[in-house]
Amino acid sequence: IWCYAEDEIIKQRMLKRKEEDTYSDALWEIYLSQKQKFIPPTTLNPLILLDTAQPLEILEEKIKEFLKN
C-alpha cells in the first residue's frame, strides 16, 4: 500500500500538527529532503496507490477491495 498526498496537503497537515502542540520532528524541510530521496516502489506487485486527500471511508473501501484480491 503506497499512500501519498499533494505537497500542499502535507504542508497543511504539518502546520495543523504544530498548532496542536503535538510532538513531532516532522518539519517541512525534512519532508522535502526525504521526498527527493524517495524511490517509488513501482516494482511491487500487487500495489495499490492511495491519495490520502480522499475521505477515510473511501480509502478504507479501496483497501478492503484490494485485500480481497
Side-chain angles (χ1 to χ4, degrees):
I1 296 175
W2 175 1
C3 296
Y4 66 92
E6 296 293 324
D7 285 348
E8 190 56 37
I9 291 173
I10 292 171
K11 192 173 190 177
Q12 288 172 2
R13 290 174 179 169
M14 288 178 159
L15 290 172
K16 181 181 177 191
R17 207 169 160 178
K18 186 175 181 180
E19 290 170 1
E20 292 172 350
D21 199 28
T22 58
Y23 176 78
S24 174
D25 59 354
L27 301 173
W28 183 243
E29 295 78 18
I30 292 172
Y31 164 75
L32 292 176
S33 173
Q34 289 178 342
K35 184 179 176 183
Q36 287 180 339
K37 297 173 187 173
F38 179 69
I39 300 170
T42 55
T43 58
L44 295 178
N45 192 8
L47 177 64
I48 182 174
L49 282 76
L50 298 175
D51 181 351
T52 62
Q54 295 180 337
L56 185 57
E57 296 79 20
I58 292 174
L59 296 173
E60 186 177 0
E61 284 304 314
K62 288 182 177 185
I63 292 170
K64 286 179 182 177
E65 194 61 35
F66 176 74
L67 293 175
K68 284 181 187 177
N69 300 326

